[in-house]
Amino acid sequence: MKIFQFLACMAALFFTQIATAQEAVVNRVQFPAGQSGTTIRDSLTGYQSVEYLLGASAGQRMVVELVPSNPSTYFNIFAPGDRPGESAAMYIAATNGLRYEGVLPENGDYRIQVFINRNAARRNESTNYTLNVSIGDAAPRQDFADGLSGGPDFWEVFGVSQSLNVRAAPSTSARLVMGLMNGTVVQNRGCRRNEGRVWCQIAQVGGGATGWAASQYLREAAAPSASTRPAVNAGNVMRVVGVPSGDVLNVRSGPGTGNSIVGALANDDPVRVIGCQSGGTTRWCEIEMITDMRERGWVAGRYLSAATDSTPTPTQNVSSAEQACLRAVTVETNNPDVVLLSSSFSQAGTEVMVGVGPQRAPWQCIAYSDGSTTRPMSMRN
């Protein structure tokens, strides 16, 4: 009994020491008199982290840039009231780069967390870093959706590698309504902040589906003419795949098998994708037929794949475990641009690899039969 009590005490002391070692240092950032920025130099080892509090006002432009000696060093930015481990970050350098520049959506203390990626931290690696932080004056009206009030009448989708997820509510867990490609022009119906990011309610021009999209993928656009359909460009080119031998892919006048057939495509035919939306259990995509006088129509999305073999494409029929990890990675990285890379099932759990952002940065997640997952982990290092 005494041996058991001794071991229990030692274990408690061990985990207390770990918690103390991992407890973040919190520093208030002060700018020198007459200056709008400062440079911070510091170092970290293992699981140490530092959080810098910086007071700012809505509409001001903030710039944060990290220059580390160890490439596994990153930073996250949290909006006022949000904290690491409790809330999603508004910016994650691991997937978006070591420089942030943006217009702040609200007043309060912004929290900049600097840390070593867990893959390097568990090896007890160290880093020396320089953190440059500056706050500018209130910014003029911007050409992208970074504020919570006002804004232009129309947004244009930009910066996505596949399609922009549009959801039924301003949340990454909300039902997916449709996907929009780069260059698609939509109506602006107002923005709000939720889950640590700004969401904008949008509507298809000329009527149709409405939903919520992450503001970082929207920028101001001119009003389209009544006869103008959403723009497409070479970046949206995909190819037809998976059509049975000797058969063709029907192109229909609308998103559903009840619509008339307006064309046909064969495997490997190139098309330009304008946008996608869910119709029952099928994901339908509006396309422009490059091979057929550039006529437009709708096809089942499962028959479309990226035109280049080097770019992974989202899997249409994903398992519940894969879906759980896709959601978990979206929340962890604060980035809705995620794609399933691979998965491996075992009795212990399903290992899922998820690509994040345009570069498809790899993240690992383990999903269990009860629907829970481990906290996603970056595999970049």
Side-chain angles (χ1 to χ4, degrees):
M1 182 66 179
K2 290 183 178 180
I3 293 177
F4 175 78
Q5 291 176 334
F6 173 76
L7 292 175
C9 290
M10 291 299 294
L13 177 60
F14 175 74
F15 287 113
T16 299
Q17 290 175 336
I18 290 178
T20 302
Q22 294 180 0
E23 185 175 352
V25 175
V26 180
N27 295 324
R28 169 72 61 177
V29 178
Q30 300 284 350
F31 293 166
Q35 297 187 25
S36 60
T38 189
T39 297
I40 301 167
R41 294 180 176 83
D42 209 337
S43 62
L44 296 172
T45 299
Y47 287 99
Q48 292 178 331
S49 66
V50 181
E51 296 173 12
Y52 298 98
L53 293 181
L54 181 62
S57 301
Q60 288 187 305
R61 179 171 292 278
M62 182 168 73
V63 178
V64 179
E65 184 175 24
L66 180 68
V67 182
S69 63
N70 187 325
S72 295
T73 312
Y74 298 105
F75 69 87
N76 294 331
I77 302 177
F78 293 84
D82 291 342
R83 301 175 65 89
E86 300 176 3
S87 316
M90 62 177 279
Y91 185 84
I92 297 178
T95 54
N96 297 296
L98 296 181
R99 176 184 170 88
Y100 165 83
E101 181 174 357
V103 177
L104 301 178
E106 60 183 293
N107 301 333
D109 283 339
Y110 288 82
R111 190 178 297 264
I112 305 167
Q113 176 198 35
V114 181
F115 61 95
I116 299 175
N117 186 307
R118 70 186 66 187
N119 288 341
R122 67 189 178 194
R123 295 191 295 267
N124 206 40
E125 294 183 14
S126 298
T127 185
N128 299 311
Y129 64 86
T130 298
L131 184 70
N132 298 307
V133 182
S134 65
I135 294 288
D137 294 332
R141 182 182 297 274
Q142 299 299 310
D143 62 351
F144 52 92
D146 54 7
L148 300 181
S149 61
D153 293 329
F154 297 93
W155 298 127
E156 177 190 5
V157 177
F158 81 109
V160 293
S161 57
Q162 295 290 331
S163 64
L164 173 62
N165 289 336
V166 180
R167 300 186 179 275
S171 170
T172 54
S173 60
R175 175 177 58 85
L176 187 64
V177 175
M178 59 182 168
L180 299 176
M181 309 302 292
N182 284 327
T184 304
V185 176
V186 293
Q187 290 179 309
N188 173 24
R189 294 194 172 178
C191 302
R192 58 177 287 193
R193 187 172 173 274
N194 190 41
E195 297 181 342
R197 63 155 63 96
V198 176
W199 295 83
C200 293
Q201 188 178 33
I202 60 175
Q204 290 180 305
V205 176
T210 63
W212 295 82
S215 66
Q216 69 226 58
Y217 301 108
L218 302 172
R219 61 186 177 191
E220 184 175 349
S225 64
S227 60
T228 301
R229 301 292 296 278
V232 295
N233 55 48
N236 299 337
V237 173
M238 304 185 82
R239 291 189 181 278
V240 175
V241 297
V243 178
S245 178
D247 202 352
V248 294
L249 174 63
N250 291 329
V251 181
R252 298 184 178 272
S253 61
T257 55
N259 293 286
S260 60
I261 297 174
V262 297
L265 296 166
N267 280 329
D268 207 39
D269 279 347
V271 297
R272 287 193 177 92
V273 179
I274 301 167
C276 301
Q277 66 183 61
S278 296
T281 59
T282 303
R283 182 170 178 262
W284 290 89
C285 294
E286 187 179 14
I287 55 96
E288 181 183 67
M289 294 180 285
I290 298 175
T291 58
D292 188 12
M293 300 297 292
R294 299 194 180 278
E295 291 291 331
R296 293 188 178 188
W298 293 80
V299 298
R302 66 179 179 272
Y303 294 109
L304 299 178
S305 179
T308 56
D309 295 335
S310 60
T311 304
T313 59
T315 301
Q316 301 299 324
N317 297 313
V318 297
S319 67
S320 58
E322 293 164 342
Q323 290 174 345
C325 277
L326 286 170
R327 289 194 297 269
V329 172
T330 295
V331 172
E332 179 73 17
T333 63
N334 198 32
N335 191 337
D337 185 12
V338 297
V339 63
L340 176 65
L341 298 179
S342 65
S343 64
S344 177
F345 173 79
S346 70
Q347 293 299 323
T350 301
E351 180 185 40
V352 182
M353 297 297 296
V354 178
V356 179
Q359 303 304 316
R360 294 298 180 236
W363 284 70
Q364 179 198 55
C365 168
I366 306 297
Y368 302 107
S369 58
D370 63 357
S372 64
T373 70
T374 60
R375 183 174 179 177
M377 180 174 67
S378 172
M379 303 300 290
R380 177 161 284 178
N381 294 288

